[in-house]
Amino acid sequence: MPIPFRFAAALACAALLLPLGCGRASKTAITLAGSTSVEPFAELLAEHYMAQHPGIKISVQGGGSSAGVRAVTSRICAIGMSSRELNPEEKALVEIPIAHDAIALIVNARNPVRRLTMAQARDVFTGRVRNWQELGGPNRRITAITREEGSGTRASFDERVMVAGMPKDKDGKTNPAAFAPDVLVQNSNGSVREIVASDPAAIGYISSGLIDERVAAVAIGGVTPTEATIRSGRYPVVRDFLFLSCGEPTGTAKAFIEYVLSDSGQKALAEEGLTRVK
Amino acid sequence: MREKLIEKGLLLVAFSAVATIFLIAFFIFREGVPLVAKVGVWDFIASTRWAPSKGQFGILPMIVGSLEVTILAVVFGAVLGLSCAMFLAEFAPRWSVRILKPMIELLAGIPSVVYGFIGVVVLVPWIRTTFGGPGFSVLASSIILGIMILPTVIAISLDAFHAVPPLYKEGSLALGATRWQTLYRVQLPAARSGIIAALILGMGRAVGETMAVIMVAGNALTMPTSLLQPVRTLTSNIALEMGYASGDHQAALFATGMVLFVIIAVLNTIALVVTRPRT
């Protein structure tokens, strides 16, 4: 059984390399861990980088943004990945934004409604607005789709859209409005897009890089997500994909981050639908 | 000596299979019970609000959703499956049985994600354009599940029909009853316990099915009061949210599994009791 054995051997090597890759010992192998939203992009960049620099080994793991923060704080990995903003107590880490990811409100390509105010966008998901007629569209019931509880995309949507116009509580915090119970829930960007693509009455939100010709982005407060509006910060629903480091990065980690922020690294990210930071 | 060794070996292997059940139950309950204790049993199973990030853990809509979808699926499965089993047992020519039976068994081998995909591409748009609503609904899920449990329902109820002593049938026919009268009035009642077992096992399969349901149910957190409304079942709740869940949220998903475990255990017990030969 040569193949499983080789696979097992590779795993064992990876396990051996793991502690070496972290912190100071090795200069040639590093590990990235964290957000599952950033993970596919980091994997792609790592592949490009390893192709150009034979002998260097970069492994990328998921686990979620919080796991990434913990891993880099305890120096289990060289670079953490996060798709959410850091909490005040996590701010000791060095944050390196590698790309902007806009979250676009999408409707079916046949839907004539292409502009919503922030309050209207919120009301569609809280259930206050239930018919497209109220938004200047045809007389059809709205089918709103959200992501599952715990998803980073949903958290960003909560923080930027669902809080609109909500009163502050006694701690000065604005809590997001609750989604209506009959809002559909899907657990990936892809399936939200598929539903919107097939249902003329649907509305959902996905990473703007995943928009295709069957769905259309809605302007929020008159601003559509384009490279210019996302980079200037005029488009309101944008999150940054972050690399995190405990102290200034050194060695391979530093070289890799430099590559990610270089023109070719940024170009690779832009081709995948993200927006360049540099 | 060697006999003994083999016997003991087999016993050990058999027990390790059963041990898995206990391990699974143990872990589900260990993770789930503390949360239910914290929230309160009543608030957990009878409150309608599910928002784990805000500390609200009510799974009533999902319990109702699971039961609603399952019962409807069993109705679909019973109508289609029993008719099919009756046809195969009594009316089908030998050659057609040879073709039909393997095809029905093949139905059981199709992965559930394929059923779900067909549901999303064909069934959901059809429901949306014909009946209105989002299409992702109780109706879509129960039709898909009804088809998925067909192999179970057909195979077990067919066995039940075959187990009816031929004397019954011959006696009834000799008394001048038609074939349909014989089937309906004599064989069907005689096979009753087997048929009920078939439906309950089908029910167990329907309650536990996840992937296909996630794809067509819409997974909304509403209390489903109409067949055209979206619904979230207990299984889909676990599968949807486990990706990012941690802390209490994760424990609440284990607790959801606990409720599911109890429901399935009850169903299987009923099936066992019903099929036990009367003494």
Side-chain angles (χ1 to χ4, degrees):
Chain A
M1 300 236 276
I3 293 167
F5 175 72
R6 250 167 59 193
F7 185 66
L11 271 181
C13 289
L16 283 176
L17 277 176
L18 212 110
L20 291 179
C22 309
R24 55 240 128 24
S26 165
K27 290 272 183 280
T28 57
I30 58 167
T31 303
L32 276 70
S35 163
T36 48
S37 308
V38 187
E39 190 186 355
F41 302 106
E43 262 166 14
L44 184 94
L45 291 166
E47 266 169 41
H48 285 201
Y49 189 76
M50 286 190 286
Q52 290 163 17
H53 300 83
I56 287 188
K57 176 96 186 80
I58 300 174
S59 42
V60 181
Q61 302 168 355
S65 297
S66 301
V69 170
R70 279 197 302 275
V72 73
T73 308
S74 55
R75 293 182 183 268
I76 292 172
C77 66
I79 302 174
M81 303 179 285
S82 174
S83 54
R84 62 163 173 82
E85 284 165 26
L86 295 188
N87 303 329
E89 66 267 30
E90 295 165 351
K91 283 287 184 187
L93 295 171
V94 178
E95 295 172 57
I96 303 133
I98 61 158
H100 304 299
D101 179 37
I103 295 169
L105 206 54
I106 54 166
V107 294
N108 189 283
R110 281 174 288 165
N111 190 328
V113 177
R114 292 297 156 80
R115 305 168 68 87
L116 293 178
T117 64
M118 193 65 106
Q120 282 173 327
R122 181 204 62 206
D123 288 347
V124 163
F125 287 92
T126 58
R128 275 225 334 241
V129 171
R130 294 200 170 267
N131 196 302
W132 283 108
Q133 221 163 18
E134 299 169 60
L135 304 169
N139 178 17
R140 284 197 75 143
R141 223 182 129 81
I142 297 172
T143 302
I145 308 145
T146 184
R147 290 287 305 280
E148 80 284 8
E149 180 109 9
S151 133
T153 312
R154 171 165 167 162
S156 303
F157 193 78
D158 257 344
E159 282 159 24
R160 290 167 181 80
V161 178
M162 299 306 279
V163 294
M166 294 291 287
K168 282 195 162 78
D169 65 10
K170 50 190 179 300
D171 305 327
K173 232 183 98 194
T174 317
N175 285 313
F179 286 91
D182 60 348
V183 168
L184 299 191
V185 181
Q186 295 291 315
N187 63 349
S188 72
N189 274 310
S191 48
V192 172
R193 184 183 63 191
E194 290 311 306
I195 296 179
V196 174
S198 71
D199 183 354
I203 183 167
Y205 55 88
I206 62 172
S207 275
S208 67
L210 297 168
I211 291 174
D212 62 18
E213 71 289 345
R214 299 169 302 158
V215 299
V218 174
I220 301 180
V223 186
T224 35
T226 61
E227 200 191 331
T229 57
I230 295 167
R231 288 188 73 170
S232 70
R234 282 220 304 135
Y235 183 72
V237 199
V238 178
R239 58 177 172 172
D240 282 351
F241 283 170
L242 302 174
F243 273 4
L244 306 169
S245 164
C246 203
E248 283 301 319
T250 54
T252 308
K254 182 168 181 241
F256 179 60
I257 291 170
E258 274 165 7
Y259 161 73
V260 171
L261 297 176
S262 73
D263 194 49
S264 67
Q266 290 286 301
K267 208 179 259 166
L269 289 174
E271 273 164 21
E272 295 299 309
L274 297 180
T275 304
R276 309 169 58 128
V277 285
K278 287 254 156 63
Chain B
M1 180 62 206
R2 201 156 147 234
E3 284 287 308
K4 266 258 159 2
L5 221 64
I6 292 174
E7 204 184 299
K8 286 274 170 332
L10 285 177
L11 184 80
L12 197 74
V13 174
F15 265 98
S16 67
V18 180
T20 322
I21 290 276
F22 283 103
L23 271 180
I24 290 175
F26 173 73
F27 276 109
I28 293 178
F29 280 80
R30 194 188 64 175
E31 299 286 325
V33 165
L35 181 105
V36 175
K38 189 163 132 191
V39 180
V41 180
W42 186 247
D43 278 345
F44 186 67
I45 60 170
S47 140
T48 58
R49 195 102 192 108
W50 171 267
S53 57
K54 295 187 187 114
Q56 291 169 313
F57 303 98
I59 62 166
L60 185 64
M62 301 166 219
I63 296 178
V64 174
S66 270
L67 294 180
E68 204 174 301
V69 165
T70 304
I71 289 167
L72 259 175
V74 172
V75 171
F76 287 127
V79 172
L80 280 173
L82 276 186
S83 329
C84 189
M86 286 200 258
F87 174 73
L88 285 177
E90 286 306 314
F91 302 112
R94 190 64 61 76
W95 62 267
S96 68
V97 176
R98 272 211 298 271
I99 300 175
L100 285 175
K101 255 200 106 180
M103 283 175 75
I104 291 163
E105 280 152 18
L106 197 64
L107 215 52
I110 298 175
S112 60
V113 65
V114 174
Y115 282 103
F117 189 62
I118 292 173
V120 168
V121 174
V122 181
L123 191 61
V124 166
W126 179 74
I127 291 177
R128 180 162 58 224
T129 48
T130 321
F131 302 110
F136 295 87
S137 55
V138 177
L139 185 64
S141 330
S142 43
I143 291 177
I144 291 286
L145 282 178
I147 296 169
M148 290 181 75
I149 65 174
L150 276 183
T152 315
V153 174
I154 294 173
I156 299 176
S157 46
L158 195 56
D159 285 345
F161 279 120
H162 285 319
V164 175
L167 269 179
Y168 288 24
K169 179 182 168 188
E170 285 157 14
S172 166
L173 290 175
L175 286 170
T178 63
R179 276 171 86 186
W180 170 244
Q181 283 169 336
T182 304
L183 181 60
Y184 187 67
R185 295 285 183 77
V186 178
Q187 286 165 289
L188 195 65
R192 197 181 54 200
S193 70
I195 290 169
I196 294 174
L199 294 183
I200 292 173
L201 288 175
M203 212 180 227
R205 172 136 164 71
V207 172
E209 175 51 42
T210 312
M211 194 59 212
V213 179
I214 287 195
M215 293 171 78
V216 300
N219 310 316
L221 285 164
T222 175
M223 192 73 103
T225 48
S226 130
L227 290 189
L228 300 176
Q229 265 184 353
V231 63
R232 183 184 293 196
T233 63
L234 293 164
T235 48
S236 4
N237 189 43
I238 301 174
L240 263 181
E241 298 192 349
M242 67 181 179
Y244 298 102
S246 58
D248 275 357
H249 187 184
Q250 194 176 31
L253 296 183
F254 272 105
T256 312
M258 236 159 66
V259 174
L260 198 59
F261 190 89
V262 171
I263 292 177
I264 290 176
V266 168
L267 282 181
N268 279 357
T269 313
I270 296 175
L272 269 181
V273 171
V274 168
T275 50
R276 190 171 359 183
R278 262 160 256 150
T279 44

